[in-house]
Amino acid sequence: MVLVTLGVALVVVLWRAAWRPARNVVTIVHEAGHGVVALLAGRRLSSIRLHSDTSGVTVSRGRTEGPGMVCTALAGYLAPSVLGLVFAGLLLGERVGAVLVTCAVLLLGVLIMIRNVYGVLSIVLTGAVLFAVSWLATAEIKAAFAYLITWFLLVGGVRPVFELQRKRRRGQARDSDADQLARLTGAPGLFWVGVFAVINTGALLIAAAWLLLP
């Protein structure tokens, strides 16, 4: 089951036709990461918007510079991989229920802050799938679903980093998280893209070691 769900996650992430709709899930976690860290940094979360092109925007109020703003900007691209690593740890302890409950809490928290119709629709559809599996499926299917979510977040957390750098090369992402971090810290945007890539790839490798090695 672990290998099969990994294979399915790889197909979804690498096959463009499947990746486009599935990427909305990564965007939900990305924006949730911004929101959670903003709150932890003492900022006031104003709104979250999800767009049909799979982009998103999280607006928080507070100081426009400083460690809190840096951590908030840093959190988005790292959130899917970090959450996937947490889920891998839970699955290592056979805590399937904890994975599903965490997903439900995350979706509810984002739904409260959503301020556009497409965002609400994305959250409701994702929540409907989660609800159906949690309440109607057998224990084996729940476990497979939890592994699939975990692998998808881990593998799906890596691809957007490379997509980001392609857009940056074309001059299409001047307000990306990496470029915001460059303005906040003085370190070049490419450095921050590298940070995203190293951390997310590391999370994938660690989780793979946990779940695949005897």
Side-chain angles (χ1 to χ4, degrees):
M1 179 181 64
V2 177
L3 289 172
V4 169
T5 51
L6 171 58
V8 173
L10 286 169
V11 170
V12 172
V13 172
L14 297 177
W15 184 26
R16 178 174 294 185
W19 171 243
R20 180 59 186 266
R23 197 185 191 283
N24 285 286
V25 175
V26 175
T27 303
I28 291 170
V29 179
H30 178 117
E31 300 306 329
H34 282 313
V36 169
V37 174
L39 291 173
L40 292 175
R43 300 177 63 80
R44 185 162 61 87
L45 188 59
S46 299
S47 66
I48 296 176
R49 292 177 178 270
L50 306 175
H51 303 139
S52 58
D53 63 353
T54 71
S55 66
V57 177
T58 298
V59 178
S60 62
R61 301 189 183 280
R63 291 186 59 190
T64 57
E65 55 185 18
M69 189 61 198
V70 171
C71 291
T72 299
L74 184 63
Y77 277 96
L78 302 183
S81 294
V82 171
L83 185 61
L85 185 61
V86 171
F87 284 174
L90 290 173
L91 291 176
L92 198 62
E94 300 182 355
R95 302 287 300 276
V96 171
V99 172
L100 300 179
V101 169
T102 301
C103 290
V105 171
L106 182 147
L107 288 174
L108 180 60
V110 175
L111 180 61
I112 292 172
M113 299 308 302
I114 285 289
R115 296 294 183 270
N116 68 322
V117 174
Y118 182 83
V120 172
L121 180 62
S122 296
I123 297 296
V124 169
L125 289 177
T126 305
V129 173
L130 179 64
F131 176 83
V133 172
S134 300
W135 289 93
L136 303 177
T138 63
E140 291 79 7
I141 293 178
K142 289 179 183 178
F145 186 70
Y147 273 99
L148 179 59
I149 292 172
T150 300
W151 286 125
F152 175 71
L153 290 174
L154 289 163
V155 179
V158 175
R159 177 167 176 171
V161 177
F162 294 94
E163 293 177 339
L164 168 64
Q165 184 54 27
R166 284 200 299 270
K167 288 182 178 180
R168 293 185 71 252
R169 282 203 309 266
R170 298 168 186 165
Q172 299 174 344
R174 299 185 185 280
D175 290 323
S176 70
D177 292 351
D179 292 282
Q180 290 182 45
L181 285 164
R183 291 191 288 270
L184 287 166
T185 64
L190 183 60
F191 168 81
W192 292 107
V193 174
V195 170
F196 298 153
V198 169
I199 293 177
N200 291 2
T201 303
L204 173 59
L205 293 176
I206 292 170
W210 287 351
L211 300 179
L212 296 178
L213 297 181

